[in-house]
Amino acid sequence: MKSIGSFLKSHKDVAVYGAFVLLIALVALLARVIAPYDPLSSTLRDAFQPPSAQHLFGTDFMGRDLLSRVIFGTRASLSSALLLVMASMIIGGLLGIIAGYAGGAADTVIMRLCGAMLSFPDLILAIAIAGILGPSFINTIIAILAVSWTKYARLSRSMVLKIKKRDYISAARITGSRSSHILSSYMIPNALPTLLTTAVLDIGTTILSVSGLSFLGFGIQPPTPEWGYMLAEGRNYMMTYPWLMVFPGLAIFVTVVAFNLLGDSIRDALDPGRRRKHRRKRTGKA
Amino acid sequence: MLKKMILKRLLQMIVVLIIISFLTFLLTYLAPGDPAEAMYEAAGISPTEEQLNTARLSMGLDKPFIVQYGRWVTHALRGDLGTSFSKSLPVATLIGQRLLPTLKIAVFSMAIMLVVSIPLGLLSATHQDGVWDYLIRFLSFFGISMPGFWLGLLLMYVFCVRLHWLPAVSASSGFREMILPSVTLAIAMSSKYTRQVRASVLEELSQDYVIGARARGVRRSRILWRHVFKNALLPLITLLGISFGSLLGGTSIVEIVFAYPGLGNLAVQSVSARDYPLIQGVVLWVAMIYMAVNLVVDLTYDLVDPRIREAR
């Protein structure tokens, strides 16, 4: 804990952006306490009320309080993004380490699979998978995971290939260390910091993918509050009730900004080479 | 040497296409629901048991998985991707209709992006830590964090609903209909590329030859335009190719927001309707075009940069 404290002290930007992200996480955790209304209770009489003192963000087409729905929507976005990033890092990281360390047939199979998944632009593959499996929270995760693990696999594979050539690995092997020992004591600890930084940098993009899928109708299903499909709902009433599409979009934007700021600052803090080279550039970052 | 490399890459592409087609076929095979039923459902008919049985036989659903897959592949090789359930048209025809609109929007948004990001990136790099640099970096950071569908909706609200300057729905692919979707795509891309151009120019400016030229008294503008500019933009070719390839594969979300009739829109429609032949066709086509563009890019890169050619 002490080392984290001193790290934050010497990298104030990480601390500030970290606090920003923590705040958003608190909103998700304490949604029940913060939200002024039940996000699911609808009074049709109150439908389409413009923002007011009673309903700061107004109400939607079913008369539900939009602020409460946006607050509860934090849960879906954060939990799916964190779950996805962790799962991609673990699955992709392990497959990449195996491919790099074992080589041969395992390497060929894993990397060919990577290549196949990477030969799709945009969200096309995720859309196809989510659509075929049927829209739901877990299927969104599976659909995006099918593509997102590849990044970590390629990254960890390339790191293992680099480490593999080092003298201490040959020394370990000559002195009779088992593969499992080499992997767990040398390979994984070496690859972990880079994988973790990539993961933090990835959270913002993942939130965008998840909400994009549900915007298209292939994600979490109503009535659970989720920002992407709240935007899709708001779009239908854009002409007359524009606030319905302003606030959910703003929520996505602010959250992605927070995670991107944190990711950038952690990457710069952990990569002294980059820091030295770009020091002048970095000061006063937006 | 070059011929050998092209051959090798084409071979790799075929392997990847086989994997992809197999996986999508497997996925639709394992998907909940009966394709025969899905076919009638997509066409909006509720079938009798007898109709279902006939359809199952004619679709070969009684055959084992591998036979069904083999049948699909042999047809696909002849250019026959089957018939769409929901639109009762050949899949190849449906994809063909989307090619021109998709190409138009891809070229137009790339053009906007280049016109915006190259000057901004250069300006940002040459005025490092100046007012312009801060402003440009600030804007590009926000551009990257902006959800494309939200940006599209906001633009639509301002320019269509409020100002009535442009049509809200781009059902056709005329010029006026293309403006907003292209601008939406271009804003996200420009933010990314402005950062790239900036980083790339800064990297190049710190090279020894630049310091040397400056020490010899060569004018700054001459160094910038004659040497740095060209060298800094070269590495961007690969990235540009990837972006172009993904635009050609369709940009589902933006196309859906504006109801633009591109490939991405078709992909979403096919998935929503559970139109299996159409899904398989689109997925295969998109992967093919994306990989082909990447191959072409690598080849041009090879031609432009002699260092790579010699290294091989």
Side-chain angles (χ1 to χ4, degrees):
Chain A
M1 279 323 270
K2 202 174 164 194
S3 66
I4 293 181
S6 64
F7 176 79
L8 289 181
K9 219 174 243 168
S10 53
H11 299 285
K12 292 236 167 49
D13 49 346
V14 178
V16 172
Y17 301 141
F20 189 9
V21 162
L22 220 57
L23 196 72
I24 297 174
L26 275 178
V27 170
L29 285 174
L30 301 177
R32 214 166 283 287
V33 185
I34 305 168
Y37 296 90
D38 178 351
L40 299 180
S41 86
S42 60
T43 330
L44 287 178
R45 219 170 347 109
D46 295 339
F48 299 122
Q49 292 203 5
S52 66
Q54 269 101 44
H55 299 283
L56 283 178
F57 287 4
T59 60
D60 71 356
F61 70 109
M62 286 179 75
R64 295 173 296 199
D65 179 57
L66 199 62
L67 173 62
S68 308
R69 289 184 67 71
V70 168
I71 289 175
F72 271 88
T74 319
R75 292 187 163 180
S77 285
L78 286 197
S79 58
S80 54
L82 290 180
L83 189 65
L84 254 171
V85 166
M86 274 196 299
S88 335
M89 187 180 78
I90 293 170
I91 295 174
L94 284 180
L95 284 176
I97 289 172
I98 292 170
Y101 188 75
D107 190 23
T108 313
V109 170
I110 292 172
M111 284 301 119
R112 278 283 172 273
L113 213 55
C114 253
M117 295 304 169
L118 285 173
S119 41
F120 290 95
D122 202 30
L123 284 173
I124 295 275
L125 191 62
I127 289 171
I129 296 175
I132 293 170
L133 295 177
S136 76
F137 180 78
I138 195 72
N139 288 347
T140 312
I141 305 273
I142 295 173
I144 298 178
L145 189 60
V147 185
S148 61
W149 66 274
T150 53
K151 187 186 208 172
Y152 298 90
R154 301 178 105 185
L155 196 64
S156 60
R157 176 175 177 268
S158 72
M159 281 188 294
V160 165
L161 288 181
K162 231 187 281 165
I163 302 167
K164 221 166 121 178
K165 294 200 195 93
R166 301 269 164 81
D167 290 340
Y168 64 84
I169 298 291
S170 332
R173 216 176 277 154
I174 292 164
T175 51
S177 296
R178 267 188 313 224
S179 281
S180 61
H181 175 75
I182 295 179
L183 282 175
S184 62
S185 348
Y186 303 117
M187 297 294 183
I188 295 178
N190 256 309
L192 209 55
T194 315
L195 289 179
L196 275 173
T197 317
T198 313
V200 179
L201 278 165
D202 239 14
I203 296 176
T205 327
T206 310
I207 292 177
L208 287 181
S209 304
V210 171
S211 55
L213 272 188
S214 40
F215 177 78
L216 294 174
F218 303 128
I220 301 170
Q221 290 299 291
T224 319
E226 201 281 337
W227 296 334
Y229 88 71
M230 282 165 72
L231 260 179
E233 283 176 354
R235 177 189 178 218
N236 300 331
Y237 307 102
M238 178 156 93
M239 304 277 185
T240 29
Y241 313 111
W243 63 86
L244 289 179
M245 62 161 215
V246 169
F247 296 114
L250 199 63
I252 301 176
F253 179 61
V254 170
T255 312
V256 173
V257 165
F259 277 105
N260 282 351
L261 284 171
L262 180 66
D264 280 359
S265 66
I266 290 181
R267 181 196 52 205
D268 292 348
L270 290 185
D271 189 348
R274 190 187 161 87
R275 192 178 157 78
R276 211 170 18 251
K277 204 151 113 200
H278 293 280
R279 185 160 44 204
R280 288 187 52 212
K281 169 186 135 184
R282 262 184 357 94
T283 44
K285 163 150 254 158
Chain B
M1 273 330 241
L2 196 64
K3 231 187 235 159
K4 205 170 155 194
M5 180 204 131
I6 298 176
L7 214 66
K8 199 177 145 203
R9 287 286 299 267
L10 284 177
L11 218 65
Q12 278 176 358
M13 258 175 78
I14 293 170
V15 173
V16 169
L17 284 176
I18 292 173
I19 298 176
I20 287 167
S21 66
F22 184 80
L23 287 180
T24 38
F25 203 87
L26 185 69
L27 206 61
T28 47
Y29 182 79
L30 295 175
D34 171 9
E37 248 180 279
M39 178 177 84
Y40 282 107
E41 218 174 87
I45 305 168
S46 60
T48 62
E49 195 52 41
E50 201 177 328
Q51 278 174 318
L52 279 180
N53 283 330
T54 335
R56 280 187 199 122
L57 277 181
S58 74
M59 290 162 85
L61 292 179
D62 51 334
K63 306 258 167 47
F65 169 75
I66 202 73
V67 176
Q68 289 186 38
Y69 175 66
R71 189 174 122 150
W72 185 77
V73 169
T74 45
H75 280 98
L77 283 176
R78 276 184 259 142
D80 173 14
L81 292 167
T83 308
S84 150
F85 291 165
S86 54
K87 303 181 192 259
S88 347
L89 279 170
V91 170
T93 312
L94 286 168
I95 294 176
Q97 288 170 352
R98 305 295 177 126
L99 295 187
L100 192 61
T102 306
L103 183 67
K104 275 157 88 176
I105 207 175
V107 172
F108 193 37
S109 56
M110 285 287 276
I112 302 177
M113 182 276 283
L114 288 174
V115 169
V116 172
S117 60
I118 292 181
L120 287 187
L122 266 175
L123 188 68
S124 197
T126 48
H127 295 73
Q128 196 185 6
D129 289 333
V131 180
W132 283 110
D133 187 27
Y134 282 130
L135 193 68
I136 292 167
R137 271 161 50 202
F138 186 77
L139 286 177
S140 59
F141 180 82
F142 282 104
I144 283 175
S145 313
M146 192 87 173
F149 41 101
W150 192 46
L151 180 65
L153 288 173
L154 292 179
L155 289 175
M156 194 194 261
Y157 182 71
V158 173
F159 292 102
C160 311
V161 179
R162 287 272 128 177
L163 300 170
H164 299 290
W165 285 359
L166 293 164
V169 171
S170 335
S172 77
S173 60
F175 180 69
R176 280 166 59 81
E177 282 80 9
M178 267 170 50
I179 297 178
L180 279 187
S182 307
V183 168
T184 308
L185 289 172
I187 288 179
M189 280 197 295
S190 305
S191 314
K192 197 174 102 190
Y193 277 94
T194 305
R195 286 179 141 196
Q196 287 291 347
V197 171
R198 179 181 184 275
S200 191
V201 170
L202 281 180
E203 179 81 42
E204 205 58 36
L205 280 174
S206 67
Q207 298 288 322
D208 289 342
Y209 79 85
V210 174
I211 301 168
R214 220 175 263 171
R216 287 200 310 276
V218 181
R219 260 205 326 259
R220 221 180 115 88
S221 62
R222 193 185 154 83
I223 300 176
L224 193 66
W225 295 110
R226 286 288 294 271
H227 306 286
V228 170
F229 189 65
K230 197 180 137 211
N231 288 337
L233 293 194
L234 210 58
L236 293 183
I237 293 181
T238 320
L239 276 176
L240 285 174
I242 293 172
S243 297
F244 193 60
S246 46
L247 288 172
L248 285 183
T251 43
S252 329
I253 291 178
V254 172
E255 283 175 23
I256 287 289
V257 167
F258 293 101
Y260 186 83
L263 255 181
N265 199 329
L266 185 70
V268 173
Q269 281 177 20
S270 70
V271 173
S272 301
R274 300 191 149 254
D275 190 336
Y276 295 140
L278 193 54
I279 297 177
Q280 279 156 359
V282 171
V283 162
L284 198 67
W285 170 259
V286 167
M288 209 158 76
I289 196 98
Y290 190 57
M291 286 191 292
V293 171
N294 282 325
L295 176 60
V296 171
V297 167
D298 286 354
L299 292 180
T300 21
Y301 198 69
D302 221 64
L303 293 176
V304 197
D305 193 340
R307 278 172 301 185
I308 293 185
R309 206 168 42 224
E310 274 157 27
R312 199 173 280 121

